[in-house]
Amino acid sequence: MAPRLQLEKAAWRWAETVRPEEVSQEHIETAYRIWLEPCIRGVCRRNCKGNPNCLVGIGEHIWLGEIDENSFHNIDDPNCERRKKNSFVGLTNLGATCYVNTFLQVWFLNLELRQALYLCPSTCDHRMGDGIREEKDYEPQTICEHLQYLFALLQNSNRRYIDPSGFVKALGLDTGQQQDAQEFSKLFMSLLEDTLSKQKNPDVRNIVQQQFCGEYAYVTVCNQCGRESKLLSKFYELELNIQGHKQLTDCISEFLKEEKLEGDNRYFCENCQSKQNATRKIRLLSLPCTLNLQLMRFVFDRQTGHKKKLNTYIGFSEILDMEPYVEHEGGTYVYELSAVLIHRGVSAYSGHYIAHVKDPQSGEWYKFNDEDIEKMEGKKLQLGIEEDLAEPSKSQTRKPKCGKGTHCSRNAYMLVYRLQTQEKPTTVVQVPAFLQELVERDNSRFEEWCVEMAEMRKQSVDKGKAKHEEVKELYQRLPAGAEPYEFVSLEWLQKWLDESTPTKPIDNHACLCSHDKLHPDKIPIMKRISEYAADIFYSRYGGGPRLTVKALCKECVVERCRVLRLKNQLNEDYKTVNNLLKATVKGNDGFWVGKSSLRSWRQLALEQLDEQDGDGDQSNGKMNGNTLNKDESKEERKEEEEELNFNEDILCPHGELCISENERRLVSKEAWSKLQQYFPKAPEFPSYKECCSQCKILEREGEENEALHKMIANEQKTSLPNLFQDKNRPCLSNWPEDMDVLYIVSQFFVEEWRKFVRKPARCSPVSSVGNSALLCPHGGLMFTFASMTKEDSKLIALIWPSEWQMIQKLFVVDHVIKIMRIESEDVNSSETQYISDPKLCPECREGLLCQQQRDLREYTQATIYVHKVVDNKKVMKDSAPELNVSSSETEEDKEEAKPEGEKDPDFNQIMHAFSVAPFDQNLSIDGKILSDDCATLGTLGVIPESVILLKADEPIADYAAMDDVMQVCMPEEGFKGTGLLGH
């Protein structure tokens, strides 16, 4: 199909040979492109907007292709939420609770701990034992009950993942704040041990000690007498320093290494009864079944004062022999790896926690990532992908090679080892009956939800299939052919075929011409469809007006034909008019035309024809919900009205011929008739037409007024020569010796008067002295003598007494203001007083000063300069940053949303210009430290054009720690106020 412009030209080619009065129905149908050939699917790749019969590429491919049932609904398959066979159940991340989820999965896979928790008596168990069956949801009352219920759901739930919000809420944890995972583990184990200590069953009461509790001793040996003292202590995990180490065994050795006590740190030996050199070390006395090794990745950074993460690689093996480290008599201490807890990310204040845990029954490794659980291949632990996800820094070393049975990680923060046994655990932990019933209730609710979702999916699919067949059939009936037809917008058809948006009523108002018919220029956005399809559309969706064959507008086609013919004739007429303008006009046969209009008549005619030709682009309504902005259209009309049309440049304000002959020219009758073809509404002025009488009167009056103003200006200039030329002016700071009184007028009066004297023909004469602007409402003076000699001197003008007499004669004076010098009556005193009349008003003066201060501190888009100080010397750079700020902005708090008109100062400009991070910036102004981040610039005394001094702290050596510091906005509270601390 030919391009759109070619179709446009072809639709109007007949206008070159057909005059407007000869336009027929055939020409109209050609202009509306009624009989263009429709496009064929497969041949036409995209919709032809120039062809109203092209119904290809409007979105029909979705309906004509094969049916995809998933496209008929937005409901996910409920079976995707179902637990897979032989897999574990995940836990929902409630915001920042991934650290809780990892420990819950590790504890769940500790079979002994799970079995012991199931043996704990429950209030729900007692109620069910009494035959009470409550239909409402079960709500655990204690931490043990919460953990019981969670473990039962993790074991037998049909869901792919469960919600731990009850457990998290019971502990009082903030779901939006990520906490220290290692601290959580310690506190929860302590809370669980304290809770279980009240149980009667010893298997339950002692489970935490049996599984996690070991014992070591702090041993100190006196070098003098060899006396050995021990301090026994229990532990639930070993905290191992990883700085400077590459292997786990090195970390354990450092934990147990011998320390020398010498010098000021000598040990007081009770046997020697004096301070002696000694050695101190830790001896492992007994180890638990489950050995928790905390790798101290999150440490305190003295430079920043905050935590940071150590992203160094630590190697560890799957088999850990602790026998060399334990003082024992017999027994085996060989452990095998059962869990690796991972922290993704380089910062201590952000990132994500996951856990790799080994199933004690099958020996297979699983990765627990909140809701998602992934089984590792080949019963092997795989940490490679977790290490790749961490963000590397320049100082990071390469990952070392690991041998068989060993691993290395820079993200592992806790390793869990289980005591190795010859036999694999075969005992299946049974869920108690009362908990199993609760799980079955939850499973029942889940199955009901699955059935409900499946039914909703089925209904959506059935409805979609019916709509598919309906649309498919109706699309086949869209082409009109030779049968009766109507026009519908292409946009509406596309939305009808778009299933994602609801179909609105048909709105054809935007494509109507001024005659309320279809505008021929709107054909590119319209489509011709059969009357049968149109009837169905209007009956189903409503709207209008309907555009049938009667909507083809003959008036618009005729006008367009006239415009096109004039455009083709314009170049020839331009030459003819130029030749006619060369001839001299004789008699009264000529017409007045503006010279400006004559210079640009061709361009004006072309613009006018283009405007008439492009009227179709102007929308007179809305189409399918898209409305025009009325204010914009009004502004456009105003601008068009302000532009002068042809020959309006010689119109006077009264609509008559202007009196200035320099602006117009006489042209012949033939030239005027040619111009009138293009500008039929232009004002017409024959050569015998008289100029505007009102303008003549005003011209005469203006000449008289101008002469009068010149006379007045000359008289005033002669009377006050020094005031006009600003010469020999009195000064308050250097009071004239022979003068006891000076008068004051407003500086504004003097400037306006000088303007009039310089240009009396253009400016109006000044008739009065407005001294009321210098006085308060009470009639008192607003300025002190001292201020009038300094900052307020720009607002007043001092007048000599002789000049004041002349001013009183020439102008109307509303208030007399004078300054008098009074010598002291005391002969021995040389003090001189200056008194104003009227006197100063202290209250209003103070109010004025306060207002000036407020105005000075309330500003927007002001410039503030920043200079960096190095060794108490300013660094004056051309590139020193200029901050565009508002006085109502705070120094920091860049994330908080501000009302319209207020914007936070971008103090990061300082960081980029001087390479100084915000926490290293020390800002001051006039010796005052700017330390209050909540104060506004105005309250800090920062006014426009101020200079802020920047002194930078020493930079942090490890720039990876900068991310940690930037994220610490409030002091750390840890688990303060939570159930882990007894609250």
Side-chain angles (χ1 to χ4, degrees), residues 890-892 929-936 939-940:
T890 57
E891 186 180 348
E892 294 290 344
I929 303 297
L930 306 182
S931 58
D932 189 354
D933 295 343
C934 299
T936 63
T939 58
L940 290 172

Side-chain angles (χ1 to χ4, degrees), residues 505-509 537-538 541-546:
I506 301 172
D507 189 350
N508 290 326
H509 288 90
F537 285 150
Y538 282 106
Y541 305 107
R546 298 186 68 160

Side-chain angles (χ1 to χ4, degrees), residues 120 158 323 385 482 497 525 611 619 688 700 776 826 839 842:
C120 281
N158 291 345
E323 189 171 352
I385 188 171
L497 290 169
I525 61 170
E611 184 180 343
S619 178
Y688 53 81
R700 285 196 299 271
C776 72
D826 189 353
K839 294 183 178 180

Side-chain angles (χ1 to χ4, degrees), residues 4 9 18 131 133 146 156 188 217 248 340 399 436 453 468 630 693-694 732 744 761 766 806 836 878 924 969:
R4 181 178 173 181
K9 289 181 179 179
V18 177
R133 294 292 186 267
H146 277 287
N156 288 339
F188 185 78
L248 176 65
V340 181
K399 181 180 178 180
Q436 182 59 35
M453 290 297 104
H468 185 276
K630 293 181 180 178
S693 57
Q694 290 179 294
L732 292 180
I744 293 177
V766 179
M806 189 59 63
S836 65
D878 293 335
S924 63
C969 302

Side-chain angles (χ1 to χ4, degrees), residues 304-476:
T304 63
H306 301 287
K307 283 192 304 183
K308 71 174 182 178
K309 181 183 177 184
L310 301 176
N311 293 289
T312 54
Y313 281 103
I314 292 294
F316 52 92
S317 63
E318 293 186 11
I319 302 298
L320 178 62
D321 186 3
M322 292 294 292
E323 189 171 352
Y325 306 107
V326 181
E327 290 190 3
H328 60 88
E329 296 178 1
T332 58
Y333 292 93
V334 179
Y335 288 80
E336 59 181 353
L337 189 64
S338 65
V340 181
L341 279 70
I342 298 289
H343 173 266
R344 292 178 181 171
V346 296
S347 169
Y349 295 94
S350 61
H352 183 58
Y353 289 94
I354 65 170
H356 292 261
V357 190
K358 185 177 182 180
D359 182 2
Q361 294 179 313
S362 66
E364 295 174 324
W365 281 91
Y366 290 84
K367 180 172 76 173
F368 292 86
N369 184 5
D370 292 331
E371 296 94 339
D372 301 319
I373 297 174
E374 180 184 352
K375 182 180 178 182
M376 301 289 104
E377 295 181 1
K379 295 186 177 183
K380 293 182 180 179
L381 174 63
Q382 300 173 21
L383 296 177
I385 188 171
E386 307 307 333
E387 302 308 312
D388 296 339
L389 287 171
E391 301 173 19
S393 62
K394 294 181 180 179
S395 61
Q396 204 72 60
T397 56
R398 289 185 178 181
K399 181 180 178 180
K401 294 182 179 180
C402 301
K404 186 177 180 180
T406 61
H407 305 274
C408 56
S409 171
R410 62 181 170 192
N411 289 320
Y413 69 92
M414 183 172 178
L415 304 175
V416 180
Y417 284 89
R418 293 276 295 172
L419 194 61
Q420 194 177 52
T421 57
Q422 298 296 328
E423 299 178 357
K424 290 186 178 180
T426 56
T427 305
V428 177
V429 180
Q430 295 292 336
V431 177
F434 76 95
L435 285 176
Q436 182 59 35
E437 183 172 345
L438 293 173
V439 172
E440 288 174 359
R441 285 185 192 176
D442 183 74
N443 288 339
S444 178
R445 286 193 293 269
F446 174 68
E447 295 301 333
E448 289 174 3
W449 176 83
C450 288
V451 171
E452 183 181 349
M453 290 297 104
E455 182 61 27
M456 289 176 63
R457 277 171 59 93
K458 183 178 181 302
Q459 291 176 2
S460 297
V461 169
D462 293 341
K463 186 178 178 181
K465 287 181 178 179
K467 175 76 180 290
H468 185 276
E469 293 301 322
E470 176 188 327
V471 171
K472 186 176 180 180
E473 180 186 355
L474 193 52
Y475 178 78
Q476 303 294 345

